[in-house]
Amino acid sequence: AFLNMIDGDFILTTPDILLDKITLGQSTVTSSLRGGILKTNIPSLTLYGGQGRLDMELNAQNPAAKFALDFTLEDMDGQGFLSAIAGYTKLTGRTGTVMKIRGQGRSQAEIMRSLDGNGNFELAEGVVSGIDMGLFVTGLEAAFASGALPAGIGGNHVTNFEKLTGLFTINQGVVSIGDFSLNAGTAQAEGSGSFDIGKQFVDFSLRPRIAGGTGLAGFGIPIRLRGNFGNINAGLDTDMLGKIIAARAKAEIQNQISGQVGGELGGLLGNILGGTPAPKQTEEEEPKKKEEDTLEKALGRLFGDD
C-alpha cells in the first residue's frame, strides 16, 4: 500500500546495507517510484570483498507483488557469503556469479516459492574443508575390501581446488544445477542436483574421481548429498550407481554378442541392445588378456559377487 501512495526519486549513500543475514558494503542506491513500481539500481555494489551491479524492480500495483532481480558479481569472498546465507563455512575461494530472478506473491514466503530464473557461478583458487578428495577416491578400493570407511574424511582433511563452476536454473523456488564441475588438479568431480529455496532442502549428486587414474579411482564413485540446510547427510548414490552398472553390463553383453556370434546376426543383436558393435578380432589382433577390471572387483565386494 505504501508504494502506491507516493511518487518520487531517491539517491541513498550508505556505508552498510543489512538484508537479513547479508551485509553489503559501501553503496550508492538510486531508486525511482512511479505508480506503485519501485525500480532500484546499485551500479557499484560491494559484497564480501567483491564488486558488482544490481538492478531490482518491485511492482506493487496488484495484491501479489512482482519482483525482478538482475545481479552480477565478481571476486567475492565465497566463504563469507555462504556462511551468511546458509551457515556453510567449509568452502573458501573467490567467487563470481551472474543471475536473473523473477517472482511474485503476497508475502516473502510466497515470493521465495515462486522464484524463476537462471545464472552461473565460478569459485576459483579455494579450499573444501572436511575431505581430501584425492585420498578419499584412491582409498575406496581398500575400503570396500576391508569394509572400513575410506581415508580422507574428517576435520583435518582439505581439498585445494583450482576452479569450481556451475550453471543453474530456478523454477518455482527450486534451483537446479545441471552442469557442475570441480577441478583440483588430478582430483576432479562432476555433479548435478537441486536446492529448494522455499523448503530449504538440498539433493545433490557428485562423482569424485582421479584424472588418469585406474580402476575405481579413475572411474569415480557417485555420492549423494541430501538434507535440510545446515543438516546435510552424505551417502552412496545408489540410483546413479545402478544406472552405471546397468550401462556397463549392457555394453559388455552387446560386445560379446557382436564378437562371438559375428556376422550380420551378431551385429543386429548388438544394435538392438544399443551402442556400436565391436569388430570381431583375429587371433593376431586379439590383445593380451588384461587383469580383472578393478571396478568390477570393488563393486563385487560391495554388492556381492552376483
Side-chain angles (χ1 to χ4, degrees):
F2 171 77
L3 295 180
N4 285 280
M5 290 173 59
I6 59 174
D7 290 343
D9 297 292
F10 313 91
I11 298 177
L12 309 176
T13 302
T14 172
D16 291 293
I17 298 177
L18 307 179
L19 301 173
D20 193 15
K21 299 178 181 179
I22 301 176
T23 303
L24 282 66
Q26 174 71 44
S27 303
T28 298
V29 184
T30 302
S31 295
S32 66
L33 180 58
R34 295 285 186 277
I37 300 176
L38 176 66
K39 296 182 178 180
T40 297
N41 168 251
I42 307 179
S44 182
L45 173 69
T46 303
L47 182 64
Y48 296 96
Q51 296 293 321
R53 177 185 178 92
L54 181 145
D55 292 289
M56 184 175 68
E57 181 176 308
L58 181 62
N59 186 332
Q61 291 179 331
N62 298 308
K66 294 182 178 180
F67 168 81
L69 175 70
D70 294 327
F71 181 56
T72 302
L73 187 69
E74 296 180 355
D75 201 30
M76 180 179 66
D77 173 15
Q79 185 182 45
F81 180 70
L82 292 173
S83 175
I85 64 172
Y88 188 73
T89 60
K90 294 186 177 182
L91 189 64
T92 68
R94 310 302 298 183
T95 186
T97 183
V98 176
M99 64 178 71
K100 294 179 179 293
I101 302 174
R102 303 292 184 268
Q104 62 180 13
R106 290 176 170 82
S107 67
Q108 182 186 25
E110 279 191 19
I111 292 175
M112 296 293 279
R113 289 193 294 266
S114 75
L115 293 180
D116 291 309
N118 59 76
N120 63 68
F121 63 88
E122 178 177 307
L123 198 63
E125 302 297 334
V127 176
V128 180
S129 302
I131 181 171
D132 183 331
M133 198 164 70
L135 184 60
F136 171 76
V137 175
T138 54
L140 283 173
E141 292 173 19
F144 286 159
S146 64
L149 289 174
I153 300 290
N156 59 328
H157 293 286
V158 298
T159 297
N160 297 289
F161 63 86
E162 299 166 10
K163 185 177 290 187
L164 184 157
T165 61
L167 302 175
F168 63 86
T169 59
I170 308 173
N171 183 31
Q172 297 298 301
V174 178
V175 181
S176 297
I177 300 176
D179 189 6
F180 171 90
S181 65
L182 185 149
N183 185 349
T186 57
Q188 299 179 357
E190 298 84 32
S192 62
S194 64
F195 296 78
D196 191 322
I197 299 173
K199 296 180 180 179
Q200 297 194 331
F201 190 84
V202 174
D203 189 353
F204 192 82
S205 294
L206 187 69
R207 187 170 72 170
R209 61 186 178 85
I210 301 298
T214 59
L216 190 57
F219 184 78
I221 195 77
I223 297 172
R224 190 175 187 181
L225 307 170
R226 198 167 188 272
N228 296 314
F229 287 6
N231 186 30
I232 300 173
N233 297 312
L236 191 66
D237 189 339
T238 53
D239 291 340
M240 184 186 293
L241 192 58
K243 292 177 183 178
I244 292 169
I245 295 171
R248 287 173 61 88
K250 180 178 177 180
E252 179 61 24
I253 292 172
Q254 184 270 326
N255 288 332
Q256 288 185 16
I257 290 176
S258 298
Q260 294 179 15
V261 177
E264 294 182 0
L265 177 60
L268 176 62
L269 292 173
N271 284 331
I272 290 173
L273 289 171
T276 303
K280 189 172 182 177
Q281 297 172 320
T282 63
E283 291 184 2
E284 292 79 9
E285 293 173 334
E286 186 173 359
K288 184 179 179 180
K289 181 176 176 59
K290 297 181 180 180
E291 295 182 358
E292 183 178 1
D293 187 279
T294 309
L295 174 60
E296 292 175 357
K297 290 169 61 179
L299 295 177
R301 293 192 186 102
L302 183 62
F303 296 103
D305 290 338
D306 295 332

